[in-house]
Every structure is written in C-alpha cells, then in structure tokens.
C-alpha cells in the first residue's frame, strides 16, 4: 500500500469520526444532511458485499467494517437518537435524481455484468455525488458550522489523495481503473468551490456555496 492510499484512508476515517463526535458531543445534528449520510451508508453497503466472498487483508476487512458501522451509526443518530434536531426543512435535495441515473449507469458501464460487480460500480458512481445533498443544504442555509466544514474538508482531501493514489498505481504498478478515476475526478470537482472558501475564509464558518 502506498502512502497516498493510506493517508487517503486516514483522511476518510478522520472525516467520519469528526462528524460522529460533532453529533454526539453537541447532542445535535443541526446543519448535517441526513440524505447525504443515507447515501453514504448505501455506498458502503453495496461496495463491501465482498466481505462475504473474499479476504484481502486484516487492514482491508477492518476498514470496511468500520466504514459500514460508522455510516449506520451516523444515520441512527440523525434519524433516531437526535431526530428532534434534524433540519429536514432544508435537507430537501431529491436523492432519486441521483440514485436512478447512477443505477442505470452502473448497469450500462461496468467491468463485468455480475451482481457484485454492478453493485460495486453503483457504489463508486454514487459516492461521487453523495455529498450533493449536504452541499445543497449549506447553499440553502447560507452557512455551515466550523466542525461541519472540517468534515467536508477531510472528505474532499480523502478523494483528492485517492486520485494521486491512482496515478501512483498506474506508474508503479501498471494498474488503472477508469471507472474509479472518472468518478473520483467528478467527486473532487464538486468540492472545489468548498475548498476555495475553506482556504480563503478561514475554515469557512459561513460558506456561500453555489450548487
């Protein structure tokens, strides 16, 4: 494993932990899109079904289990434990406009027309746009708490590092996955406006995002 993939995984894990701690410590999920978190839970569920069919390494299996567990824990906190603090009035992005096209695309463009491969492809495509409800919610409210922007920053950093990881693997291992790379580029582009505001406005405590 190269350093870019490892730091990408750690950035991803940091983003998830930051979000969970924010909700738990504040006893509130204000400013957090439950729809984005549901999409991420769907991403990890469909991507890691190979837990039942293959074993790569203890690290690989552990990270998969952590991602799945944390995603469902986040959904539980938003929709069950702290439901009264969830701002559903601003979390209004139509997720079917993401799921349906992504589902259709995963059937048309994949590496192998098999159930696990189609679901894996679906998860890759869906992850690239799963953050849109969160960005849309910030654009509607006109601001985001500092801790939420930290979450978004580390999530975007994870994807950017994974792009470098794909470049590394291409040059040093001869490995190239066009589906993952294109989806990663799309996802990183979605964060560009946020990254700019994060850097220029000092952690972006009041972000005016254009989505």
């Amino acid at each position: 494993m190269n350093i870019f993939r490892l730091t990408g995984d750690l950035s991803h894990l940091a983003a998830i932990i930051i979000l969970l701690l924010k909700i738990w410590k504040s006893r509130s999920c204000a400013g957090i899109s439950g729809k984005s978190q549901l999409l991420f839970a769907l991403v990890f569920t469909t991507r890691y079904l190979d837990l039942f069919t293959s074993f790569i390494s203890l690290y690989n299996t552990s990270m998969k289990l952590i991602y799945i567990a944390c995603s469902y824990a986040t959904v539980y906190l938003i929709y069950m434990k702290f439901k009264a603090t969830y701002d559903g009035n601003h979390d209004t992005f139509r997720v079917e406009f993401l799921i349906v096209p992504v589902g259709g695309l995963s059937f048309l463009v994949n590496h192998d027309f098999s159930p696990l491969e189609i679901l894996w492809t679906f998860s890759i495509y869906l992850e690239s746009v799963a953050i849109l409800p969160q960005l849309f919610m910030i654009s509607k409210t006109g601001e985001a708490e500092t801790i939420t922007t930290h979450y978004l920053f580390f999530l975007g950093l994870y994807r950017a590092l994974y792009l470098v990881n794909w470049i590394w693997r291409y040059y040093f291992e001869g490995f190239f996955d066009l589906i993952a790379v294109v989806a990663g580029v799309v996802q990183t582009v979605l964060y560009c406006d946020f990254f700019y505001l994060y850097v220029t406005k000092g952690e972006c405590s009041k972000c005016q995002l254009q989505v």
Side-chain angles (χ1 to χ4, degrees):
M1 179 187 303
N2 63 68
I3 188 65
F4 301 110
R5 179 177 177 182
L6 178 60
T7 52
D9 286 345
L10 293 178
S11 295
H12 195 183
L13 186 59
I16 295 172
I17 292 174
I18 285 171
L19 187 64
L20 280 171
L21 288 177
K22 183 269 181 191
I23 298 174
W24 188 257
K25 286 188 174 182
S26 66
R27 318 295 286 182
S28 170
C29 54
I32 299 172
S33 169
K35 291 185 176 182
S36 270
Q37 298 310 311
L38 281 172
L39 291 179
F40 281 123
L42 182 58
V43 164
F44 296 135
T45 301
T46 53
R47 180 173 303 171
Y48 298 141
L49 291 173
D50 62 351
L51 278 169
F52 302 102
T53 61
S54 62
F55 177 81
I56 299 174
S57 68
L58 180 60
Y59 170 84
N60 183 272
T61 298
S62 298
M63 293 300 284
K64 289 177 179 179
L65 291 173
I66 289 171
Y67 289 150
I68 293 173
C70 288
S71 66
Y72 279 97
T74 304
V75 169
Y76 168 76
L77 292 178
I78 293 174
Y79 286 101
M80 300 291 290
K81 182 102 177 145
F82 304 120
K83 183 179 180 180
T85 66
Y86 169 56
D87 186 8
N89 291 327
H90 288 110
D91 193 16
T92 56
F93 192 94
R94 300 284 296 275
V95 294
E96 60 269 29
F97 292 156
L98 300 178
I99 294 176
V100 173
V102 162
L105 186 61
S106 64
F107 273 93
L108 296 173
V109 183
N110 52 66
H111 295 307
D112 179 52
F113 198 76
S114 64
L116 283 180
E117 187 64 30
I118 290 173
L119 288 172
W120 178 87
T121 306
F122 171 81
S123 76
I124 294 296
Y125 293 151
L126 184 61
E127 186 185 19
S128 69
V129 294
I131 200 62
L132 278 176
Q134 179 67 66
L135 298 179
F136 183 74
M137 186 176 184
I138 293 175
S139 73
K140 288 193 69 174
T141 60
E143 63 182 64
E145 294 181 20
T146 298
I147 197 70
T148 306
T149 64
H150 289 333
Y151 160 72
L152 289 171
F153 174 80
F154 279 102
L155 206 58
L157 181 62
Y158 136 72
R159 182 42 55 185
L161 286 168
Y162 251 66
L163 285 180
V164 181
N165 163 63
W166 293 126
I167 296 173
W168 175 279
R169 294 190 66 183
Y170 175 74
Y171 279 103
F172 292 96
E173 301 175 16
F175 179 85
F176 183 75
D177 188 326
L178 183 61
I179 289 176
V181 171
V182 171
V185 170
V186 170
Q187 188 174 357
T188 305
V189 167
L190 291 178
Y191 286 93
C192 285
D193 188 26
F194 168 78
F195 274 131
Y196 174 77
L197 291 172
Y198 187 94
V199 172
T200 59
K201 293 191 176 182
E203 297 178 353
C204 188
S205 59
K206 289 185 179 294
C207 293
Q208 297 288 341
L209 297 178
Q210 301 299 320
V211 178

